[in-house]
Amino acid sequence: YITWRLVENNVHHLSADFQHQKKIFTNFISQEESSHLYDTRWRHCVEVCNYHLGFALGSLFARQKLSQETRNEMEDIVNSIRRTLINRLPWLQWLDETTKSHLQTLIIDMNSEIGFPEFITDVDRLNSYYYYFNVYADRYFMNVMNGYVDKRRRSFSQLYNDIGTEYWDDDLLPQRTIINYNAIYNSLTLSTGIVQSPLFMGHGLTRSYLMGSFGTLIFRNYFEY
């Protein structure tokens, strides 16, 4: 059973012959005829690289697509929302004073990660992040398996180490379009991808436009929790 699950979950990394047999099996089980095979090979390769080497690709993307000036503008919007929330807390009559005090502390202490984690702009630190990920030029499937092992290793290492304030979830890659609030770490993450056109087209836009589009998304993600 374990062997079957391993093969079944990784057929998409094999050649078209294997994928075709998987399609026949899936159609038989579901009793539905599907002509869809899998993504084209180039798209599949990009997705695999993005999954296993996401921060390496994110470093290339962030260097080209996000300036420090834009990061500062994003930080200013977050801080503006933070100040507004704190100023309005006293007017919320449906909250008792203890809850208001706790909520104010959370808002003040909330960590905001803007654009990308700093370590991806440092070649040495980025290399260190992938130090245990062995890649071979002629062993594609082994590279995929090594990538899974490396991800598990980093996940388990968090059980024994203090993640600190620089922790950045490796699912929240700079190239993705993400605004995410993590209630456990009281951390708000805004990716580089979310500040691209058409949502956030950089300087020259009015403050009301940015607060109406970008600010609304931040506010909604924060108060979902």
Side-chain angles (χ1 to χ4, degrees), residues 203-220:
H203 308 288
L205 296 176
T206 63
R207 184 75 170 184
S208 60
Y209 178 91
L210 292 177
M211 293 301 294
S213 58
F214 196 64
T216 299
L217 290 175
I218 296 174
F219 188 86
R220 182 182 66 81

PDB file of all heavy atoms in Angstrom, residues 203-220:
ATOM      1  N   HIS A 203       3.608  54.248  -7.381  1.00  0.00           N
ATOM      2  CA  HIS A 203       3.434  55.652  -7.017  1.00  0.00           C
ATOM      3  C   HIS A 203       2.567  56.395  -8.031  1.00  0.00           C
ATOM      4  O   HIS A 203       2.452  56.003  -9.183  1.00  0.00           O
ATOM      5  CB  HIS A 203       4.798  56.304  -6.888  1.00  0.00           C
ATOM      6  CG  HIS A 203       5.725  55.541  -5.992  1.00  0.00           C
ATOM      7  ND1 HIS A 203       5.572  55.495  -4.637  1.00  0.00           N
ATOM      8  CD2 HIS A 203       6.787  54.751  -6.277  1.00  0.00           C
ATOM      9  CE1 HIS A 203       6.510  54.722  -4.115  1.00  0.00           C
ATOM     10  NE2 HIS A 203       7.253  54.257  -5.093  1.00  0.00           N
ATOM     11  N   GLY A 204       1.963  57.472  -7.578  1.00  0.00           N
ATOM     12  CA  GLY A 204       1.100  58.266  -8.436  1.00  0.00           C
ATOM     13  C   GLY A 204      -0.366  58.018  -8.180  1.00  0.00           C
ATOM     14  O   GLY A 204      -1.219  58.798  -8.612  1.00  0.00           O
ATOM     15  N   LEU A 205      -0.699  56.896  -7.493  1.00  0.00           N
ATOM     16  CA  LEU A 205      -2.086  56.613  -7.159  1.00  0.00           C
ATOM     17  C   LEU A 205      -2.490  57.401  -5.916  1.00  0.00           C
ATOM     18  O   LEU A 205      -1.681  57.682  -5.049  1.00  0.00           O
ATOM     19  CB  LEU A 205      -2.272  55.120  -6.895  1.00  0.00           C
ATOM     20  CG  LEU A 205      -2.010  54.190  -8.087  1.00  0.00           C
ATOM     21  CD1 LEU A 205      -2.147  52.744  -7.646  1.00  0.00           C
ATOM     22  CD2 LEU A 205      -2.967  54.479  -9.220  1.00  0.00           C
ATOM     23  N   THR A 206      -3.768  57.751  -5.855  1.00  0.00           N
ATOM     24  CA  THR A 206      -4.249  58.513  -4.707  1.00  0.00           C
ATOM     25  C   THR A 206      -4.275  57.632  -3.464  1.00  0.00           C
ATOM     26  O   THR A 206      -4.374  56.403  -3.551  1.00  0.00           O
ATOM     27  CB  THR A 206      -5.667  59.047  -4.974  1.00  0.00           C
ATOM     28  OG1 THR A 206      -6.557  57.939  -5.142  1.00  0.00           O
ATOM     29  CG2 THR A 206      -5.691  59.909  -6.237  1.00  0.00           C
ATOM     30  N   ARG A 207      -4.207  58.283  -2.326  1.00  0.00           N
ATOM     31  CA  ARG A 207      -4.249  57.561  -1.055  1.00  0.00           C
ATOM     32  C   ARG A 207      -5.574  56.822  -0.900  1.00  0.00           C
ATOM     33  O   ARG A 207      -5.605  55.693  -0.392  1.00  0.00           O
ATOM     34  CB  ARG A 207      -4.062  58.566   0.087  1.00  0.00           C
ATOM     35  CG  ARG A 207      -3.987  57.946   1.459  1.00  0.00           C
ATOM     36  CD  ARG A 207      -2.657  57.297   1.676  1.00  0.00           C
ATOM     37  NE  ARG A 207      -2.465  56.900   3.058  1.00  0.00           N
ATOM     38  CZ  ARG A 207      -1.345  56.382   3.521  1.00  0.00           C
ATOM     39  NH1 ARG A 207      -0.317  56.216   2.706  1.00  0.00           N
ATOM     40  NH2 ARG A 207      -1.225  56.048   4.779  1.00  0.00           N
ATOM     41  N   SER A 208      -6.652  57.439  -1.347  1.00  0.00           N
ATOM     42  CA  SER A 208      -7.966  56.816  -1.219  1.00  0.00           C
ATOM     43  C   SER A 208      -8.040  55.534  -2.048  1.00  0.00           C
ATOM     44  O   SER A 208      -8.665  54.554  -1.627  1.00  0.00           O
ATOM     45  CB  SER A 208      -9.058  57.793  -1.650  1.00  0.00           C
ATOM     46  OG  SER A 208      -8.871  58.189  -3.000  1.00  0.00           O
ATOM     47  N   TYR A 209      -7.400  55.516  -3.228  1.00  0.00           N
ATOM     48  CA  TYR A 209      -7.404  54.311  -4.063  1.00  0.00           C
ATOM     49  C   TYR A 209      -6.653  53.183  -3.364  1.00  0.00           C
ATOM     50  O   TYR A 209      -7.126  52.038  -3.315  1.00  0.00           O
ATOM     51  CB  TYR A 209      -6.762  54.610  -5.418  1.00  0.00           C
ATOM     52  CG  TYR A 209      -6.671  53.398  -6.325  1.00  0.00           C
ATOM     53  CD1 TYR A 209      -7.687  53.093  -7.219  1.00  0.00           C
ATOM     54  CD2 TYR A 209      -5.567  52.547  -6.263  1.00  0.00           C
ATOM     55  CE1 TYR A 209      -7.618  51.973  -8.036  1.00  0.00           C
ATOM     56  CE2 TYR A 209      -5.490  51.427  -7.073  1.00  0.00           C
ATOM     57  CZ  TYR A 209      -6.515  51.146  -7.957  1.00  0.00           C
ATOM     58  OH  TYR A 209      -6.435  50.030  -8.748  1.00  0.00           O
ATOM     59  N   LEU A 210      -5.480  53.488  -2.831  1.00  0.00           N
ATOM     60  CA  LEU A 210      -4.672  52.467  -2.167  1.00  0.00           C
ATOM     61  C   LEU A 210      -5.371  51.925  -0.922  1.00  0.00           C
ATOM     62  O   LEU A 210      -5.374  50.713  -0.678  1.00  0.00           O
ATOM     63  CB  LEU A 210      -3.310  53.044  -1.794  1.00  0.00           C
ATOM     64  CG  LEU A 210      -2.378  53.388  -2.965  1.00  0.00           C
ATOM     65  CD1 LEU A 210      -1.094  54.020  -2.458  1.00  0.00           C
ATOM     66  CD2 LEU A 210      -2.079  52.157  -3.797  1.00  0.00           C
ATOM     67  N   MET A 211      -5.973  52.810  -0.147  1.00  0.00           N
ATOM     68  CA  MET A 211      -6.664  52.357   1.052  1.00  0.00           C
ATOM     69  C   MET A 211      -7.925  51.581   0.696  1.00  0.00           C
ATOM     70  O   MET A 211      -8.311  50.642   1.396  1.00  0.00           O
ATOM     71  CB  MET A 211      -7.020  53.551   1.939  1.00  0.00           C
ATOM     72  CG  MET A 211      -5.811  54.251   2.542  1.00  0.00           C
ATOM     73  SD  MET A 211      -4.801  53.155   3.573  1.00  0.00           S
ATOM     74  CE  MET A 211      -5.927  52.807   4.906  1.00  0.00           C
ATOM     75  N   GLY A 212      -8.566  51.960  -0.400  1.00  0.00           N
ATOM     76  CA  GLY A 212      -9.783  51.283  -0.802  1.00  0.00           C
ATOM     77  C   GLY A 212      -9.538  49.888  -1.349  1.00  0.00           C
ATOM     78  O   GLY A 212     -10.345  48.981  -1.142  1.00  0.00           O
ATOM     79  N   SER A 213      -8.421  49.696  -2.033  1.00  0.00           N
ATOM     80  CA  SER A 213      -8.120  48.379  -2.613  1.00  0.00           C
ATOM     81  C   SER A 213      -7.193  47.581  -1.707  1.00  0.00           C
ATOM     82  O   SER A 213      -7.565  46.525  -1.178  1.00  0.00           O
ATOM     83  CB  SER A 213      -7.482  48.550  -3.992  1.00  0.00           C
ATOM     84  OG  SER A 213      -6.285  49.325  -3.904  1.00  0.00           O
ATOM     85  N   PHE A 214      -6.020  48.104  -1.535  1.00  0.00           N
ATOM     86  CA  PHE A 214      -4.997  47.409  -0.761  1.00  0.00           C
ATOM     87  C   PHE A 214      -5.353  47.368   0.721  1.00  0.00           C
ATOM     88  O   PHE A 214      -5.253  46.335   1.378  1.00  0.00           O
ATOM     89  CB  PHE A 214      -3.670  48.123  -0.980  1.00  0.00           C
ATOM     90  CG  PHE A 214      -2.479  47.326  -0.579  1.00  0.00           C
ATOM     91  CD1 PHE A 214      -2.148  46.148  -1.226  1.00  0.00           C
ATOM     92  CD2 PHE A 214      -1.655  47.758   0.450  1.00  0.00           C
ATOM     93  CE1 PHE A 214      -1.037  45.417  -0.863  1.00  0.00           C
ATOM     94  CE2 PHE A 214      -0.553  47.037   0.814  1.00  0.00           C
ATOM     95  CZ  PHE A 214      -0.241  45.869   0.156  1.00  0.00           C
ATOM     96  N   GLY A 215      -5.777  48.511   1.254  1.00  0.00           N
ATOM     97  CA  GLY A 215      -6.080  48.599   2.678  1.00  0.00           C
ATOM     98  C   GLY A 215      -7.245  47.723   3.083  1.00  0.00           C
ATOM     99  O   GLY A 215      -7.243  47.119   4.165  1.00  0.00           O
ATOM    100  N   THR A 216      -8.248  47.610   2.215  1.00  0.00           N
ATOM    101  CA  THR A 216      -9.399  46.768   2.516  1.00  0.00           C
ATOM    102  C   THR A 216      -8.997  45.304   2.659  1.00  0.00           C
ATOM    103  O   THR A 216      -9.477  44.593   3.549  1.00  0.00           O
ATOM    104  CB  THR A 216     -10.460  46.907   1.406  1.00  0.00           C
ATOM    105  OG1 THR A 216     -10.896  48.268   1.338  1.00  0.00           O
ATOM    106  CG2 THR A 216     -11.657  46.008   1.690  1.00  0.00           C
ATOM    107  N   LEU A 217      -8.106  44.840   1.789  1.00  0.00           N
ATOM    108  CA  LEU A 217      -7.639  43.454   1.859  1.00  0.00           C
ATOM    109  C   LEU A 217      -6.874  43.197   3.152  1.00  0.00           C
ATOM    110  O   LEU A 217      -7.019  42.148   3.777  1.00  0.00           O
ATOM    111  CB  LEU A 217      -6.751  43.139   0.653  1.00  0.00           C
ATOM    112  CG  LEU A 217      -7.463  43.049  -0.698  1.00  0.00           C
ATOM    113  CD1 LEU A 217      -6.445  42.852  -1.814  1.00  0.00           C
ATOM    114  CD2 LEU A 217      -8.479  41.918  -0.695  1.00  0.00           C
ATOM    115  N   ILE A 218      -6.041  44.141   3.547  1.00  0.00           N
ATOM    116  CA  ILE A 218      -5.294  43.995   4.802  1.00  0.00           C
ATOM    117  C   ILE A 218      -6.253  43.915   5.981  1.00  0.00           C
ATOM    118  O   ILE A 218      -6.143  43.029   6.841  1.00  0.00           O
ATOM    119  CB  ILE A 218      -4.327  45.183   4.994  1.00  0.00           C
ATOM    120  CG1 ILE A 218      -3.266  45.190   3.900  1.00  0.00           C
ATOM    121  CG2 ILE A 218      -3.659  45.118   6.371  1.00  0.00           C
ATOM    122  CD1 ILE A 218      -2.365  46.415   3.943  1.00  0.00           C
ATOM    123  N   PHE A 219      -7.200  44.835   6.014  1.00  0.00           N
ATOM    124  CA  PHE A 219      -8.161  44.899   7.116  1.00  0.00           C
ATOM    125  C   PHE A 219      -8.973  43.599   7.197  1.00  0.00           C
ATOM    126  O   PHE A 219      -9.180  43.039   8.277  1.00  0.00           O
ATOM    127  CB  PHE A 219      -9.089  46.097   6.904  1.00  0.00           C
ATOM    128  CG  PHE A 219      -9.995  46.381   8.071  1.00  0.00           C
ATOM    129  CD1 PHE A 219      -9.563  47.170   9.123  1.00  0.00           C
ATOM    130  CD2 PHE A 219     -11.279  45.854   8.116  1.00  0.00           C
ATOM    131  CE1 PHE A 219     -10.392  47.437  10.206  1.00  0.00           C
ATOM    132  CE2 PHE A 219     -12.117  46.108   9.187  1.00  0.00           C
ATOM    133  CZ  PHE A 219     -11.672  46.903  10.228  1.00  0.00           C
ATOM    134  N   ARG A 220      -9.446  43.107   6.044  1.00  0.00           N
ATOM    135  CA  ARG A 220     -10.271  41.895   6.034  1.00  0.00           C
ATOM    136  C   ARG A 220      -9.488  40.685   6.523  1.00  0.00           C
ATOM    137  O   ARG A 220      -9.990  39.890   7.322  1.00  0.00           O
ATOM    138  CB  ARG A 220     -10.794  41.630   4.624  1.00  0.00           C
ATOM    139  CG  ARG A 220     -11.700  40.405   4.528  1.00  0.00           C
ATOM    140  CD  ARG A 220     -12.141  40.151   3.106  1.00  0.00           C
ATOM    141  NE  ARG A 220     -11.035  39.772   2.257  1.00  0.00           N
ATOM    142  CZ  ARG A 220     -10.533  38.536   2.193  1.00  0.00           C
ATOM    143  NH1 ARG A 220     -11.040  37.573   2.949  1.00  0.00           N
ATOM    144  NH2 ARG A 220      -9.540  38.257   1.380  1.00  0.00           N
TER     145      ARG A 220
END
